[in-house]
Amino acid sequence: MSERVVVGVGGGIAAYKSCELIRRLKEGGSDVRAVPTEAALRFVGAATFEALSGHPVDTGVFERVDEVQHVRVGKEADALVIAPATADLIARLAGGFADDLLTATALVATCPVVLAPAMHTEMWLNPAVKDNVETLRRRGVVVLEPASGRLTGSDSGPGRMLEPAQIADATRAVLAGWRPSRALEGRRVVVTAGGTRERLDPVRYLGNFSSGRQGVALAEAAAQAGAEVTLVAAATDELPTPAGTTVERVESARELEEATRRAAAGADAVLMAAAVADVRPAAQAEAKLKKSAGGDALASIELQENPDIVRGLVAARKDGELPAGVRIVCFAAETGDETASAREFGARKLKAKGADLIMVNEVGEGGAFGSADNEGWLMRPDPEGDEPIVAEVPRGPKLLVAGRIVEELAGLLDGSND
């Protein structure tokens, strides 16, 4: 049976984005019902929501009274996601109001509730709104951090609603069990993501199949946990920018190393999720390499190794070039062979690199690259033995997996995992 998701829509200009959110959730297999406020219908008509969801649209508690829908809708939902959640709507939810169908549904709901705020920067930073958000989070409501960007008119700043794809991903992760905490509040975290590209000539490069989805999900999870995040992004398939992150775009392994070292100087943790190319061409041709009858310039290309960025970070920490307390997390996309399993290769890599934590994925057909889901093993050194401490990470949405890694990182930073 598909999950039943109620999409609440507040009365803000971002209400038009809720249409795409409904479509994405429907395409993901969810049974979606829209519950807009009266104000939301001034931005998007009821017919649009009905056509997209396949369900009738009501706004008041006195509609379909015979079905007791002001109680039934919330009780039957597997998740309630409200996007946009305006300042007024957040205040009414925090106050426990039930003066329309949406607030009544929220009050009845025992399922996970997700809010995607959307408002002007001054509203988002207002102490009253901050108090209301903290109240809701304390009650277990997932209040996502908004993005920073273009608002109504010419204004720009934090308060922009996340993109529908990000909200849909967050909803699926919450349905799978993700509950973001504020465990990284006040921390500075560097995340690398995407596959590096090593230029061969003006039109070709050496690269890999990484989509960057897991690294971007890590940046999102860390930001939602309260961290100040710098994302060093190689090729990431134009994925949406995670909320509240500073993004630095790079292309090659050496560019990624330089940007990461620079950002790590003031960080509490570095999460190396980028898929770094092991080698690069020894020389980059200034003109496109040609095939010809007399020989193929592409048949023999001299390669040289790229730097091992994780080992470099560990060495810099040891030498005092980076803060002694900075935690270093690495990733291993592995395949097994006749000598060892992917998990065993990952354990060897953790020991060889000297990192504090490693996430090991088994890649290949249906593996981690390009997939919306992920799974694997989280490993950290055992101070009392040679074998690492291993926690299995079951298959789930990449944001859920990212949340699990963030939880483990928080434990390393506060010493509870030592």
Side-chain angles (χ1 to χ4, degrees), residues 361-375 395-396 398:
N361 311 118
E362 187 165 15
V363 297
E365 192 67 29
F369 282 169
S371 170
D373 296 337
N374 204 355
E375 63 187 320
R395 190 168 186 83
K398 285 186 172 177

Side-chain angles (χ1 to χ4, degrees), residues 29-366:
S30 295
D31 179 16
V32 183
R33 175 167 182 168
V35 180
T37 64
E38 282 285 351
L41 293 182
R42 301 186 70 172
F43 292 94
V44 180
T48 301
F49 292 128
E50 290 176 343
L52 289 170
S53 69
H55 289 287
V57 165
D58 296 307
T59 61
V61 294
F62 292 107
E63 296 169 85
R64 303 179 205 274
V65 176
D66 59 316
E67 299 177 15
V68 200
Q69 70 168 350
H70 72 288
V71 173
R72 179 177 56 81
V73 174
K75 287 179 68 175
E76 292 180 353
D78 294 305
L80 168 61
V81 53
I82 300 177
T86 62
D88 176 74
L89 185 49
I90 287 172
R92 289 195 289 136
L93 293 170
F97 282 60
D99 54 353
D100 61 9
L101 185 57
L102 179 53
T103 52
T105 297
L107 207 57
V108 169
T110 56
C111 62
V113 178
V114 181
L115 304 187
M119 64 195 74
H120 264 67
T121 301
E122 292 81 2
M123 290 183 178
W124 177 246
L125 299 178
N126 188 284
V129 175
K130 285 181 171 291
D131 285 348
N132 289 333
V133 167
E134 289 307 312
T135 295
L136 292 171
R137 282 176 172 162
R138 192 168 59 249
R139 294 174 186 166
V141 175
V142 176
V143 183
L144 300 172
E145 287 290 313
S148 183
R150 182 71 178 270
L151 304 169
T152 305
S154 60
D155 292 343
S156 184
R160 178 185 173 91
M161 193 174 86
L162 295 175
E163 293 304 311
Q166 294 172 295
I167 302 169
D169 286 346
T171 302
R172 294 189 187 104
V174 167
L175 282 164
W178 179 53
R179 298 295 183 273
S181 69
R182 305 296 287 177
L184 296 182
E185 197 85 59
R187 299 289 192 177
R188 298 181 64 185
V189 174
V190 179
V191 180
T192 69
T196 61
R197 294 176 174 179
E198 308 297 332
R199 289 179 180 262
L200 178 60
D201 62 22
V203 298
R204 301 184 182 93
Y205 63 85
L206 301 180
N208 53 61
F209 292 113
S210 174
S211 66
R213 290 181 182 276
Q214 186 63 77
V216 170
L218 271 169
E220 185 73 65
Q224 296 298 343
E228 180 184 335
V229 180
T230 298
L231 175 62
V232 181
T236 53
D237 288 353
E238 298 182 355
L239 297 171
T241 300
T245 62
T246 299
V247 182
E248 182 167 351
R249 302 285 177 186
V250 297
E251 182 176 270
S252 69
R254 286 177 292 178
E255 289 173 352
L256 188 137
E257 178 185 40
E258 181 181 345
T260 303
R261 286 287 292 269
R262 188 167 56 246
D268 296 291
V270 181
L271 293 86
M272 284 292 304
V276 181
D278 293 319
V279 295
R280 66 180 184 272
Q284 179 182 327
E286 295 183 1
K288 179 182 175 181
L289 297 175
K290 303 289 194 295
K291 291 182 180 180
S292 64
D296 188 351
L298 295 172
S300 179
I301 300 171
E302 183 181 353
L303 301 175
Q304 59 185 204
E305 282 192 32
N306 274 324
D308 188 318
I309 301 175
V310 173
R311 284 184 176 177
L313 291 170
V314 172
R317 179 176 62 181
K318 182 178 180 181
D319 295 340
E321 297 173 18
L322 292 179
V326 64
R327 297 293 188 169
I328 300 171
V329 181
C330 64
F331 289 71
E334 293 288 351
T335 58
D337 61 19
E338 65 278 0
T339 67
S341 67
R343 172 174 165 167
E344 289 169 330
F345 279 127
R348 295 176 190 175
K349 186 168 288 188
L350 172 66
K351 189 172 184 179
K353 290 182 178 290
D356 302 295
L357 184 69
I358 190 170
M359 176 69 190
V360 183
N361 311 118
E362 187 165 15
V363 297
E365 192 67 29

